[in-house]
Amino acid sequence: MEKLYIPQIARAVDATESFEFKEFIEGLETLTPVQGFVSVCHLGAFLEVSAKASTIMTLTCDRTLVQFNYRLAIDTSEKIWLAEPLPESEYPKEREVESGDLVESLSPNGYFDAAAWLYEQLTLAIPYPKIAPDAPALELRDTSANLETSVDKRWAALSSLQLSE
């Protein structure tokens, strides 16, 4: 998957580059190639990127340690701010950061790496915890009933010191 030159996206028809793909993504261990559709729309001050993609990967169940195949699918979109990064020499020594400042940004004259963006989106879609479909359910025990019997006997003397209300 080639990187997209951002000024060229702005000059495209409807300022949008769209493409289908079917390939393995570096760093993502999958059984089948990732296949889907990506659309990158240049909206002046930001890019709107959307994708639908799916693949199959092998996961290890966190409960049983048995491996199982999992269909990983995404249908997502993200806005990426276009702004020139500050040179490191102009960074303030201390700076208050607003939650609105915590957005991804790219240089307006740089490149958008669709493969890296897809890798990030797919990695975020991997379930946590990874539980196999045939894993046994957890047994929940009522711990409040056993609380008095599980108290360390060395603390029993302190219970006689309780203040009355």
Side-chain angles (χ1 to χ4, degrees):
M1 207 173 302
E2 293 184 20
K3 294 180 181 180
L4 302 173
Y5 186 53
I6 294 174
Q8 187 169 340
I9 299 170
R11 292 188 296 268
V13 176
D14 295 331
T16 303
E17 291 281 344
S18 300
F19 57 92
E20 290 186 21
F21 61 92
K22 183 176 182 177
E23 60 187 71
F24 288 98
I25 295 180
E26 186 178 342
L28 191 65
E29 294 182 24
T30 59
L31 297 174
T32 61
V34 179
Q35 59 183 3
F37 178 81
V38 172
S39 176
V40 182
C41 183
H42 194 293
L43 297 171
F46 61 92
L47 296 178
E48 184 169 28
V49 184
S50 58
K52 285 185 181 184
S54 65
T55 188
I56 297 174
M57 63 187 322
T58 300
L59 300 178
T60 302
C61 179
D62 291 332
R63 196 174 293 162
T64 62
L65 299 179
V66 173
Q67 290 190 333
F68 65 101
N69 291 341
Y70 180 78
R71 181 168 185 76
L72 183 63
I74 60 168
D75 184 0
T76 187
S77 66
E78 179 180 13
K79 291 184 172 95
I80 301 174
W81 189 253
L82 296 176
E84 287 294 339
L86 282 176
E88 195 170 321
S89 61
E90 292 183 27
Y91 282 152
K93 293 192 189 289
E94 260 187 51
R95 179 178 160 193
E96 187 173 323
V97 178
E98 303 275 331
S99 64
D101 293 341
L102 301 175
V103 295
E104 189 170 347
S105 65
L106 294 172
S107 168
N109 298 314
Y111 289 86
F112 173 71
D113 188 351
W117 185 82
L118 276 168
Y119 171 83
E120 293 167 357
Q121 301 304 313
L122 288 164
T123 302
L124 289 171
I126 296 172
Y128 181 81
K130 301 175 206 100
I131 306 298
D134 59 348
L138 288 178
E139 294 180 25
L140 299 177
R141 291 182 262 151
D142 185 15
T143 56
S144 62
N146 297 332
L147 187 57
E148 290 181 19
T149 60
S150 66
V151 172
D152 191 338
K153 293 177 184 175
R154 293 174 286 183
W155 292 99
L158 289 177
S159 65
S160 65
L161 299 175
Q162 289 181 346
L163 297 174
S164 60
E165 293 179 23

